[in-house]
């Protein structure tokens, strides 16, 4: 039976979303009523579509009897997570030809890396890039000549942007194809230790680079459980990946087999014409709740407190931080993956992976089973895991020949309970996210990575307008004390809500030295952040007149995660009397400034998903 809290939150989300969801579904229904897209094109239009195609593909497109697949690709060869996507379009096209069908790269989207831009001016474009990706995806699909879509994306803003854009064409079936994590390098805790030593001046830059390079060492997603791997978990638990496909390493036979199987499956669904669930049907209110449950049960990235709000909104589903917090009170924490523990996602996969996690959550009453996925109805398929079919008698066959992949039941028991546990024995009876409210505003905190003794801090404020200023204060020896770092003017309207991950080594070092420290900011922390309590995504932000702008140096501030409290101990009268002293926020990334100014003028606040797209769009 479904847990009462899950049922309660789902019902209020459905009720809250009634108008916007109905409006969205009405648009999708209208799109479904249209004739097969290419049938309605003029000769000039279709000539443009197939001008560069092979003669055989031209013949198929002229007849318009077989599916044409659109590919949205985030490939680039600078970023490890996206390098594997170089070969995916050719794989998709080759399989399409075997089905007498076609496939075309509809468009490519930017894929910037927060790991490269941390602490740099380019980080101010990071959140902005999500909406650029969403618009780029919609522009690519606006050619309206596709019967199904493959979205190739992995990292922080890329997957949310792809989904937001694809939902505008939710009448089509859409599959997300993962690329997989790189093989494990040095332990993440060792990497963090060297970073802290460098912040203290105890190791050289050469030693730091050696440690970083031993961690980020090959093609694939970074192995810690940050936003990129939270994206992969989210796409699977929402039914947009093939079961068990999220964390299979790139350039392996199983990875390639899964990619091929996904293409075969979509084509068979489209040709059969009966079993292809469109994206709008897959992404429902219950699907979104399942995604939230997955984030909480795994201690996923706090960035999804923004992204999932925006992704859901694009499907007409309205969720709030209060929904997340209410769910977090009852959803058990079942994984310990860095920064919530010492293991990485490869260890999680080996211990039982997504199949074990989803079976435990479903059987424990925490997931909606009456949902649609890209493979059909319900979640039974997602309690299985893929394997190479070595025994020919076990190989699944289809019209193009034998598939390399079979699915078998996931392990009955976790193979490593230091990494992955059953519902009956969780790491914590509550999830990894907490909502904080008080006279400063509302913020979120990731508690799954913070030791209980550090989850409550009352200390004087040290006020900064950039993470660089805090780093300099540390270098000058000014932070050897208890304090709460208040980093203001970092919100979406101020400067694009950059991640402030460069704070982590400094603040973690001070915490290890015995000082009581915490962070309060209207900016973001990386999905890899943890350990130090951080109230982030504060709303209202400083440039909107938020109280964070009125906090003075030395004001006593309380961050109490267990009680969900965030206060500055200053009277209402005093806060009212304090004038806001804000400079006009200015982006610092030079030639991109004019673009960002337009984004800043229309972007919503963090608690609404920090999106330029409204819920009714």
């Amino acid at each position: 039976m479904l847990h009462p809290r899950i049922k309660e939150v789902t019902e209020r989300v459905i009720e809250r979303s009634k108008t916007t969801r109905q409006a969205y579904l009405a648009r999708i229904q209208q799109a479904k009523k249209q004739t097969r897209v290419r049938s309605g094109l003029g000769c000039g239009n279709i000539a443009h579509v197939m001008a560069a195609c092979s003669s055989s593909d031209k013949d198929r497109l002229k007849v318009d009897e077989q599916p044409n697949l659109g590919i949205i690709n985030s490939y680039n060869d600078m970023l490890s997570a996206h390098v594997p996507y170089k070969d995916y379009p050719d794989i998709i096209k080759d399989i399409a030809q075997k089905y007498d069908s076609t496939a075309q790269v509809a468009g490519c989207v930017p894929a910037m890396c927060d790991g490269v831009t941390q602490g740099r001016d380019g980080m101010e474009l990071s959140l902005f890039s999500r909406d650029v990706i969403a618009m780029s995806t919609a522009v690519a699909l606006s050619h309206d000549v596709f019967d199904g879509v493959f979205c190739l994306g992995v990292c922080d803003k890329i997957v949310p942007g792809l989904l937001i854009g694809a939902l505008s064409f939710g009448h089509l079936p859409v599959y997300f194809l993962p690329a997989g994590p790189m093989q494990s390098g040095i332990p993440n805790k060792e990497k963090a230790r060297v970073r802290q030593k460098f912040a203290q001046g105890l190791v050289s830059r050469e030693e730091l680079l050696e440690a970083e390079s031993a961690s980020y060492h090959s093609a694939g997603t970074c192995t810690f459980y940050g936003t990129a791997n939270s994206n992969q978990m989210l796409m699977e638990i929402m039914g947009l990946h093939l079961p068990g496909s999220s964390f299979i390493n790139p350039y392996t036979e199983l990875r390639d087999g899964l990619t091929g199987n996904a293409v075969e499956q979509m084509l068979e669904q489209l040709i059969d014409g009966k079993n292809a669930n469109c994206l709008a049907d897959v992404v429902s209110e219950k699907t979104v709740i399942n995604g939230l449950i997955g984030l909480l049960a795994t201690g996923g990235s706090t960035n999804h407190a923004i992204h999932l709000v925006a992704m859901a909104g694009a499907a007409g589903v309205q969720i709030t931080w209060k929904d997340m917090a209410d769910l977090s009170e009852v959803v058990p924490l079942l994984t310990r993956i860095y920064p919530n523990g010492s293991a990485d996602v490869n260890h999680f996969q080996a211990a039982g992976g997504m199949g074990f996690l989803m079976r435990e959550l479903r059987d424990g009453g925490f997931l909606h089973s009456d949902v649609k996925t890209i493979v059909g109805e319900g979640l039974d398929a997602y309690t299985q895991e893929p394997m190479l079919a070595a025994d020919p008698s076990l190989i699944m066959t289809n019209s193009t020949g034998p598939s390399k992949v079979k699915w078998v039941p996931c392990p009955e028991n976790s193979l490593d309970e230091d990494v992955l546990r059953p519902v009956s024995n969780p790491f914590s009876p509550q999830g990894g996210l907490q909502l904080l409210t008080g006279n400063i505003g509302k913020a979120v905190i990731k508690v799954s990575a913070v030791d209980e003794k550090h989850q409550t801090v009352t200390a004087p404020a040290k006020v900064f307008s950039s993470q660089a200023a805090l780093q300099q204060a540390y270098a000058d020896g000014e932070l050897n004390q208890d304090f709460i770092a208040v980093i203001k003017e970092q919100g979406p309207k101020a400067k694009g809500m950059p991640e402030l991950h460069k704070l982590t080594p400094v603040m973690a070092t001070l915490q290890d030295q015995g000082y009581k420290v915490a962070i309060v900011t209207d900016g973001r922390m990386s999905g890899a952040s943890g350990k130090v309590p951080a109230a982030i995504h504060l709303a209202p932000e400083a440039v909107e007149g938020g109280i964070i702008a009125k906090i003075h140096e030395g004001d006593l501030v309380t961050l109490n995660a267990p009680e969900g409290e965030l206060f500055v101990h200053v009277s209402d009268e005093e806060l009212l009397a304090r004038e806001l002293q804000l400079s006009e926020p200015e982006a610092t990334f030079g030639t991109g400034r004019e673009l960002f100014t337009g984004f800043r003028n229309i972007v919503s606040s963090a608690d609404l998903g920090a999106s330029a797209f409204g819920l009714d769009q």
Side-chain angles (χ1 to χ4, degrees), residues 21 128 145 151 169 194 206 216 234 237 296 346 354 365 375 420 430 482 542 570 572 590 597:
R21 180 65 176 171
F128 179 29
V145 294
C151 289
F169 294 80
V194 176
E206 289 73 20
Y216 311 119
L234 195 63
I237 207 167
L296 295 168
N346 292 313
M354 289 297 298
V375 300
L420 177 62
Q430 296 182 325
D482 296 347
V570 175
D572 293 343
T597 300

Side-chain angles (χ1 to χ4, degrees), residues 323-392:
D323 298 329
M324 298 182 192
D326 287 351
L327 292 171
S328 189
E329 289 181 354
V330 300
V331 174
L333 182 66
L334 301 185
T335 71
R336 283 288 188 198
I337 317 171
Y338 187 85
N340 305 321
S342 59
D344 66 24
V345 293
N346 292 313
H347 301 133
F348 165 73
Q349 176 69 13
M354 289 297 298
F356 180 90
L357 176 77
M358 290 183 65
R359 187 192 66 205
E360 285 295 311
L361 289 172
R362 184 199 63 177
D363 293 353
F366 295 102
L367 290 181
H368 291 283
S369 294
D370 53 336
V371 293
K372 295 183 178 181
T373 74
I374 63 171
V375 300
E377 309 289 322
L379 296 179
D380 285 349
Y382 288 84
T383 66
Q384 299 181 317
E385 61 182 5
M387 296 180 63
L388 290 172
D391 183 346

